[in-house]
Amino acid sequence: MATHQLPQISNEDRFESLVCDLFNAIDSTNTYKRFGRKGHEQKGIDVFSSEKDVVIQCKKKDLSRREIQIRRELMNDIEGDINKIISKGLNIKFSKLYFTSTYKDHPDIDEFCELIKEDKKLEFDVIYWGWDTIEEKIIDKKELIEKYFGHFVVKQDSKEASFLKNLDLKKKIEREFGDWLNYFPEDRKRRSRMILRAFDGTQYPHANEADEYGEYSWFGAEIKGLYYQGMEFIFGIEEIKVYDDNTWDFGERKEGKDFREVKVARVGQINFSDILDYDINGDEHYICPHIFCRFKYKGLPFEKVYFYSLEKGSSEYFELE
C-alpha cells in the first residue's frame, strides 16, 4: 500500500499521458506511446510499446460513486476491451495487457483478471494496476511528480507517521476501554456489545441489513480484545464439523469420515489503520461504544476472520483459507 496520497488525476487525457510517462520511466525507455486519441479507433488500448510487448488501457473513474459500482464497471470495461482487442484484430504483438485506473487496488479485480484469462484462453497476461500501485511506482520519480502534481511535497517520514498514529490509537484504546480489555468476558461489569459503523455509511440508525449491493454500513458485535495490530470482535456463533484429519467445514457430513461438532465464535479483526475514531458513550439509539471504521473488505471492516472453540478448557482456533 502506498505511504503517500497523491491526488487522483481528474482529466482523462492527462491520466493517459501520466501512465505513458510512468511506464517509460519504469522500463527506462521512450518506446511507450499513446495509441491515438479520443475520436480515433483505439481497438481497446490507449498506450503501447512494441519493444516491450505491452499494451495498456487507462480507466479514469468518477470516485464519488459507491465502490461496488466502480468495481463492477471496471470489470465490465475489462471484459469489453478484451473482446474489442480480439474482434478488431490488433496488429501489435504483445504479451501483457495492463488495465490502469484512478480507482484503488482491489483483490476482486485482480481475481477477475485471472479468471478472464482462463475463461477466454488468452495467450497474454491481464494485469490490473489501481491508484495504490500507481502511487507506489511514481512516488520516487521526481520529474513525474513535478510534471503532474505541481506543488505536492513528498514527506519522507510518512511511514513513521502512520506507525505512530496507530500506536497512539492503541494506547488510547487500552486506556479508555479498560472496563472491557482488563477482564475476561464473563467478569466484565459492562456489556461487551458495541456498534461497528462505516464512517461514510447512510443506513444508521435504520435497519442494518445488507443493501442492494450486499454491503452493510453498521451492525452490533461483542468486543473480544486486542491483537498486535488492531481490535477483535465476535460477530457470530457457529457450529462446525471437525474431522480426524483436522480439516473442518460448515457443510454436511463427509462420507466415510468421523467428526465431532464444535461450537465456535466467529471473530473479526479490525486493523488500527481502518479505525477512524470512536464514541465511547454512544447515542440515544445505542448507549454503548460506537467504532467508526472503513468497511472496505467486501462490505465489512475485518481484514481477517477466524473461529475459536467455545468449549470449556479448549484453546482450538480455526482459520479460513
Side-chain angles (χ1 to χ4, degrees):
M1 182 177 292
T3 57
H4 304 83
Q5 291 188 337
L6 293 172
Q8 279 94 344
I9 291 179
S10 58
N11 180 278
E12 184 175 349
D13 188 71
R14 190 167 176 81
F15 179 56
E16 290 182 14
S17 179
L18 166 66
V19 170
C20 184
D21 286 347
L22 177 59
F23 273 78
N24 274 323
I26 291 171
D27 288 342
S28 300
T29 184
N30 61 359
T31 61
Y32 285 95
K33 299 178 181 178
R34 295 179 65 182
F35 191 83
R37 295 290 191 276
K38 269 196 169 182
H40 296 159
E41 177 58 62
Q42 292 185 295
K43 298 185 178 181
I45 68 169
D46 294 313
V47 177
F48 75 100
S49 170
S50 298
E51 178 189 77
K52 300 297 181 181
D53 293 343
V54 170
V55 294
I56 307 167
Q57 178 59 257
C58 303
K59 300 294 180 184
K60 199 280 293 181
K61 293 299 177 184
D62 175 8
L63 303 180
S64 65
R65 299 170 296 161
R66 293 184 64 88
E67 289 197 9
I68 195 166
Q69 290 179 290
I70 301 173
R71 291 198 296 274
R72 287 176 178 172
E73 184 178 89
L74 270 170
M75 291 177 191
N76 289 334
D77 288 345
I78 290 170
E79 184 168 16
D81 286 334
I82 288 175
N83 289 337
K84 189 183 294 185
I85 288 171
I86 295 171
S87 64
K88 296 291 184 180
L90 186 64
N91 294 318
I92 295 175
K93 178 189 173 188
F94 66 98
S95 60
K96 293 180 180 179
L97 169 60
Y98 286 88
F99 284 90
T100 60
S101 176
T102 53
Y103 179 65
K104 66 184 180 181
D105 292 359
H106 200 284
D108 286 358
I109 305 177
D110 295 332
E111 184 178 350
F112 181 78
C113 290
E114 291 292 329
L115 290 174
I116 202 167
K117 179 183 178 182
E118 293 178 10
D119 290 345
K120 294 184 178 293
K121 297 180 172 56
L122 302 176
E123 295 181 357
F124 52 87
D125 293 329
V126 182
I127 303 163
Y128 175 69
W129 279 13
W131 192 252
D132 302 303
T133 297
I134 292 172
E135 278 186 313
E136 290 177 354
K137 302 291 185 182
I138 201 175
I139 204 67
D140 62 345
K141 294 173 176 55
K142 185 178 178 181
E143 289 184 3
L144 296 186
I145 293 289
E146 292 177 350
K147 179 177 179 179
Y148 291 98
F149 300 99
H151 301 293
F152 180 84
V153 177
V154 177
K155 297 181 179 180
Q156 299 298 329
D157 63 347
S158 59
K159 281 188 178 180
E160 180 180 343
S162 178
F163 169 79
L164 292 174
K165 177 179 177 293
N166 290 343
L167 186 60
D168 285 344
L169 178 60
K170 177 178 182 290
K171 291 177 179 177
K172 183 181 176 185
I173 289 173
E174 286 175 332
R175 183 173 63 252
E176 297 190 1
F177 284 71
D179 286 348
W180 296 275
L181 300 177
N182 296 335
Y183 300 92
F184 291 111
E186 61 271 19
D187 297 327
R188 292 170 182 165
K189 296 179 181 179
R190 302 183 66 175
R191 289 185 63 195
S192 297
R193 181 180 172 82
M194 300 183 181
I195 302 298
L196 305 182
R197 293 173 57 180
F199 77 96
D200 55 351
T202 59
Q203 292 179 340
Y204 185 86
H206 305 294
N208 60 338
E209 299 176 356
D211 64 14
E212 60 183 308
Y213 303 104
E215 296 188 351
Y216 297 84
S217 68
W218 72 277
F219 56 90
E222 294 189 359
I223 185 170
K224 179 178 182 291
L226 300 183
Y227 68 111
Y228 72 101
Q229 58 184 10
M231 301 181 75
E232 292 188 325
F233 289 88
I234 298 171
F235 66 111
I237 304 297
E238 313 273 357
E239 277 197 353
I240 64 173
K241 294 179 177 63
V242 181
Y243 298 93
D244 290 342
D245 60 1
N246 289 324
T247 60
W248 65 274
D249 61 40
F250 298 102
E252 297 295 327
R253 176 182 177 179
K254 295 179 181 178
E255 289 296 329
K257 282 193 172 185
D258 293 329
F259 70 94
R260 56 191 172 89
E261 289 188 336
V262 180
K263 191 175 183 180
V264 295
R266 182 189 293 263
V267 180
Q269 296 181 327
I270 306 179
N271 195 294
F272 286 126
S273 63
D274 291 323
I275 299 174
L276 276 71
D277 207 344
Y278 57 83
D279 181 351
I280 203 162
N281 296 316
D283 58 24
E284 72 274 20
H285 299 287
Y286 294 94
I287 306 174
C288 63
H290 291 210
I291 316 295
F292 298 95
C293 318
R294 296 183 177 92
F295 277 45
K296 66 180 189 181
Y297 302 96
K298 297 185 178 180
L300 292 172
F302 307 123
E303 67 173 357
K304 180 180 178 181
V305 174
Y306 71 90
F307 302 85
Y308 78 93
S309 173
L310 294 175
E311 294 184 355
K312 190 173 181 179
S314 175
S315 59
E316 288 182 295
Y317 283 77
F318 306 91
E319 294 191 352
L320 291 172
E321 294 182 357

